[in-house]
Amino acid sequence: MVSAVFHSPLEASAPPVTSTHSPIGKAMSKPQTEAPAAPVVSARPSAASRDFRGVWMAVLPPVLGLACLVLLWQLIASTSNSGIPKPAETWAQALEVFSDPFYSEGPNDQGIGWNVLASLQRVAIGFGLAALVGIPAGFAIGRFEFLSRMFNPLISLLRPVSPLAWLPIGLLVFKGANPAAIWTIFICSIWPMIINTAVGVQRVPQDYMNVARVLNLSEWKIVSKILFPAVLPYMLTGVRLAVGTAWLVIVAAEMLTGGVGIGFWVWDEWNNLNVKNIIIAIFVIGIVGLVLEFALIKLATAFTFEEVKN
């Protein structure tokens, strides 16, 4: 029902009376010509500026680090009589070396490309054998407490031994430099994979194993359906550490065994007093190791759960 109220002209001309306690009265008492509030300008940077800042922070620090290294190198080469070549001279020599990296003029005179490939081949064979032995051994040691108590003292005893200390054993057993170098890669790569895989198995939640026991799963089902997916991030971490160690060891092993390889190439250039090629080999070794590390980090990240990453 709608009601109409009529007022006198005097009442209509009087200003409206509003209550100071009523919000409605406050709202009606505002003049109609009030200017709108100024728009709030966000202080956040735009998406384009954020992207540019991210690219800048990703590129600038490494470039500055390399510049500091080259500057320090230049200062040492200029102010000392150590015979260290300057960066410009080494760069000119590097252009000459990489102009034909795959030349071959006999078994002891080959390009740097063949030497790097020979070293990578030894690392692949030794590392592959270590993975075939170390990963199943890590699963067994982590799965069964008896095996863990049995092999933990042996691992603690043999793991700190320098990898090069195993090289004479390889020469004695295999009667050859190439298999001895592969043996050295094998023995130094196996420990990170065993330890990380065993730790991953031991950290599987007990609830998973209780469910497997209730379902009466076979040991193969437990390993393939429960343990392997949970242990995969730890296993890949062990693989990454093992590859880095193997690449470190192969250079030293090839210096002692000879033949074709980046380590032998460094030692041969030292015998020829060619320091420029030695510095080039150092950078090549570092770049190859960096590429291997980056590839395995990407592989591990792809198969790692978020809680393991954190």
Side-chain angles (χ1 to χ4, degrees), residues 84-96:
I84 298 177
K86 297 179 179 180
E89 300 171 354
T90 306
W91 176 256
Q93 179 68 18
L95 294 179
E96 182 179 350

Side-chain angles (χ1 to χ4, degrees), residues 3-24:
S3 60
V5 180
F6 297 94
H7 301 278
S8 64
L10 295 176
E11 293 176 349
S13 62
V17 179
T18 58
S19 174
T20 58
H21 301 286
S22 173
I24 300 177

Side-chain angles (χ1 to χ4, degrees), residues 164-232:
L164 292 182
W166 296 100
L167 185 60
I169 304 298
L171 292 172
L172 177 65
V173 173
F174 298 105
K175 311 296 182 183
N178 190 56
I182 294 174
W183 153 258
T184 307
I185 295 300
F186 168 83
I187 201 64
C188 76
S189 302
I190 195 171
W191 309 123
M193 286 187 279
I194 290 178
I195 294 172
N196 281 272
T197 304
V199 169
V201 173
Q202 292 171 354
R203 291 188 178 182
V204 173
Q206 187 60 37
D207 294 341
Y208 294 178
M209 307 310 297
N210 294 337
V211 171
R213 191 178 298 110
V214 169
L215 297 177
N216 197 21
L217 297 180
S218 63
E219 190 63 31
W220 171 250
K221 287 288 186 181
I222 293 175
V223 172
S224 60
K225 301 298 183 181
I226 297 178
L227 294 182
F228 184 77
V231 176
L232 185 60

Side-chain angles (χ1 to χ4, degrees), residues 15 21 23 52 86 167 194 217 235 244-245 280-281 287-288 297:
H21 301 286
F52 179 76
K86 297 179 179 180
L167 185 60
I194 290 178
L217 297 180
M235 185 178 66
T245 304
I280 293 170
I287 291 172
V288 173
I297 286 176

Side-chain angles (χ1 to χ4, degrees), residues 36-110:
V40 179
V41 180
S42 177
R44 296 181 180 179
S46 63
S49 62
R50 288 199 302 268
D51 293 341
F52 179 76
R53 175 180 171 81
V55 173
W56 184 257
M57 292 301 295
V59 173
L60 182 61
V63 171
L64 289 178
L66 290 175
C68 291
L69 176 62
V70 174
L71 180 61
L72 180 62
W73 179 6
Q74 178 69 30
L75 290 175
I76 295 175
S78 301
T79 59
S80 66
N81 297 323
S82 58
I84 298 177
K86 297 179 179 180
E89 300 171 354
T90 306
W91 176 256
Q93 179 68 18
L95 294 179
E96 182 179 350
V97 168
F98 287 103
S99 63
D100 188 12
F102 292 101
Y103 78 89
S104 178
E105 297 180 1
N108 295 327
D109 187 11
Q110 299 190 23

